[in-house]
Amino acid sequence: MADVTPQADAPTPTTDKITQAARETIYLCNFRVSVDGEWLCLRELNDISLTPDPEPAHEDPKDPIAIERLNLMNMAKLSIKGLIESALNLGRTLDSDYAPLQQFFVVMEHCLKHGLKTKKTFLGQNKSFWGALELVEKLTPEAGEITASVKDLPGLKTPLGRGRAWLRLALMQKKLSDYMKTIINRKDLLSEFYEANALMMEEEGAVIAGLLVGLNVIDANLCMKGEDLDSQVGVIDFSMYLKDGGHSSKTVEGDGQITAILDQKNYVEELNRHLSASVNNLQAKVDTMEKSNTKLTEELAVANNRIITLQEDVERVKEESSYQLESSRKASRSGDGLADGQVLGEARKQLKEETLLRLDVEKELEVQIGMKQEMELSMKMLETDMCEKQDALVELRQQLDDLRTLNLQLAQKSQSSEVSAKQKSEVISRLEEKTNQMAGTIKQLEISEEDCVKQARSLSSNAEKLLQKQQ
């Protein structure tokens, strides 16, 4: 996932500044691209200041967690502003299939997942923001209706699906901003679910909550019945935020347009590299999971063979026990007193040993069966995780292809702009030559005009002299 980093820090925002920030439009041509470690960063050229008296930042500018927070905050800013603009231009109620709205929920999901504490369960580690959203019901009683509606929705089996449904219902009620402010103000309760440096625990969370106020101007009607919210893959589509430089400034021509195009081209190239690295990492994880799956399959086969062997041993012990018991009974019927007692004692001792051996084998069999069930469950979880990773991998590859197409288009546009600039410069040079030629012609005409005036004067003076002579 590529992210965005502003040049200015994000101190405590005021209401007026946040409202002004929600109304502005940010295009990627106003950003400069840089790379910080594994993170793709965009540094905004003219970012707004969210406080009248900014204080010096105490955080390390190279702190990866701080970079993640700032990137997510700016992605939320772009998503919210793009959603508001497109919704107002559309002029109708939004539905579930509206692409900017889907991307807004994906960005919000990434923001809520940032810095979540990992909870260990029997099935493995689990991260979910549903527990944090349930706090709203305790702090704001009117939010209980949303929570109850989410719990009553059929088909929701995971906390992640319930959290996604809660975000959609809160947006339809136009209460999302109020609810987010409510839980962000109670950091003592949020600390149970988030790390201390998580986005929801820092000032970036308050900025995002303030930006969400602008969403109250749009209307949404989202039908969640039949929608698979549990298994959706939340991948941010960065191509939606690539804007033409002409939208941000209609008066910019010539070199300004070429600079904007080159900035966008650099952004696409950096994003392309980042997505390529993500694809390689996911492919490596898939390969590792496939190896683990193969290893678990082999261990499961060994366990099955062991269970079969143990079952055969149990049957053999049963047969030997029954044979020994039958032999002891026959010996007790046909033998003498003392000899019969000795044989019976040995038979009972051997029967007791065989019984203990049988119990041990049965216990080991139960342990092997339990291990087999755990391995089958682990394999199912690995298969599910692999399917999700493969879906994400397909989505990232599709975005990578789209970005390569955009990169090619921008390169062609840059070349056409350069050709147009060369043609214009040639036309200008030709016009200058024509101007110089016209200036030389004008000078020659002025000289000939002066000669004509002199000739006219001489002719007039000659005429006057002739007239005087005739008189």
Side-chain angles (χ1 to χ4, degrees), residues 190-385:
L190 282 179
S191 60
E192 179 182 354
F193 303 96
Y194 289 96
E195 302 290 346
N197 54 2
L199 184 141
M200 296 292 288
M201 301 291 289
E202 296 291 342
E203 297 299 333
E204 289 84 357
V207 175
I208 293 175
L211 294 172
L212 291 175
V213 176
L215 297 180
N216 294 337
V217 301
I218 65 175
D219 297 321
N221 186 13
L222 310 177
C223 180
M224 285 171 284
K225 291 183 179 179
E227 188 175 0
D228 189 7
L229 297 177
D230 292 325
S231 60
Q232 288 183 356
V233 180
V235 180
I236 301 176
D237 185 5
F238 294 95
S239 62
M240 294 183 60
Y241 307 110
L242 291 175
K243 304 291 184 181
D244 188 4
H247 290 289
S248 60
S249 177
K250 295 182 179 179
T251 59
V252 177
E253 296 179 356
D255 294 338
Q257 291 182 351
I258 295 175
T259 303
I261 292 171
L262 292 176
D263 287 340
Q264 291 186 5
K265 182 174 179 292
N266 292 333
Y267 170 74
V268 172
E269 290 176 351
E270 294 295 338
L271 188 57
N272 192 353
R273 294 191 191 98
H274 181 73
L275 288 179
S276 299
S278 301
V279 169
N280 294 331
N281 291 334
L282 285 176
Q283 189 65 46
K285 290 181 181 178
V286 169
D287 295 339
T288 304
M289 287 183 178
E290 288 179 352
K291 293 180 181 178
S292 301
N293 193 1
T294 304
K295 186 178 179 180
L296 286 175
T297 305
E298 294 175 355
E299 292 178 355
L300 183 60
V302 173
N304 289 331
N305 295 332
R306 179 63 176 167
I307 290 171
I308 294 172
T309 305
L310 290 174
Q311 288 176 348
E312 293 176 355
D313 292 340
V314 169
E315 294 295 332
R316 182 177 56 80
V317 169
K318 286 181 180 179
E319 292 177 358
E320 291 179 356
S321 298
S322 61
Y323 176 75
Q324 293 292 337
L325 183 61
E326 187 67 24
S327 299
S328 63
R329 287 178 181 176
K330 289 180 180 180
S332 63
R333 291 175 184 176
S334 60
D336 297 329
L338 182 59
D340 292 344
Q342 291 178 354
V343 172
L344 184 61
E346 291 177 357
R348 287 179 178 175
K349 184 177 180 181
Q350 189 174 2
L351 178 61
K352 186 176 181 180
E353 292 176 354
E354 295 291 341
T355 304
L356 293 175
L357 179 61
R358 177 186 173 185
L359 292 175
D360 293 338
V361 171
E362 287 180 351
K363 288 180 180 179
E364 188 174 357
L365 180 61
E366 291 177 355
V367 171
Q368 293 293 334
I369 292 173
M371 291 177 62
K372 177 183 176 181
Q373 292 176 352
E374 290 181 356
M375 287 181 180
E376 290 177 350
L377 183 60
S378 299
M379 287 182 65
K380 290 180 180 179
M381 292 178 63
L382 277 174
E383 289 175 356
T384 304
D385 197 9

Side-chain angles (χ1 to χ4, degrees), residues 429-442:
S429 61
R430 291 175 185 174
L431 289 174
E432 289 178 352
E433 291 177 359
K434 290 183 179 180
T435 303
N436 294 331
Q437 291 177 0
M438 291 178 66
T441 305
I442 290 172

Side-chain angles (χ1 to χ4, degrees), residues 136-237:
V136 181
E137 181 182 5
K138 300 178 182 179
L139 301 175
T140 307
E142 63 184 23
E145 180 181 353
I146 294 181
T147 307
S149 300
V150 169
K151 293 179 180 178
D152 294 338
L153 281 174
L156 294 180
K157 300 179 182 179
T158 62
L160 179 59
R162 288 190 285 272
R164 290 169 172 171
W166 189 94
L167 289 175
R168 285 157 173 78
L169 291 175
L171 179 67
M172 285 194 288
Q173 286 190 357
K174 300 185 179 182
K175 293 286 186 179
L176 183 57
S177 175
D178 298 335
Y179 294 157
M180 293 297 291
K181 289 180 180 178
T182 300
I183 57 176
I184 284 174
N185 290 334
R186 293 300 303 272
K187 292 183 173 57
D188 54 334
L189 299 178
L190 282 179
S191 60
E192 179 182 354
F193 303 96
Y194 289 96
E195 302 290 346
N197 54 2
L199 184 141
M200 296 292 288
M201 301 291 289
E202 296 291 342
E203 297 299 333
E204 289 84 357
V207 175
I208 293 175
L211 294 172
L212 291 175
V213 176
L215 297 180
N216 294 337
V217 301
I218 65 175
D219 297 321
N221 186 13
L222 310 177
C223 180
M224 285 171 284
K225 291 183 179 179
E227 188 175 0
D228 189 7
L229 297 177
D230 292 325
S231 60
Q232 288 183 356
V233 180
V235 180
I236 301 176
D237 185 5

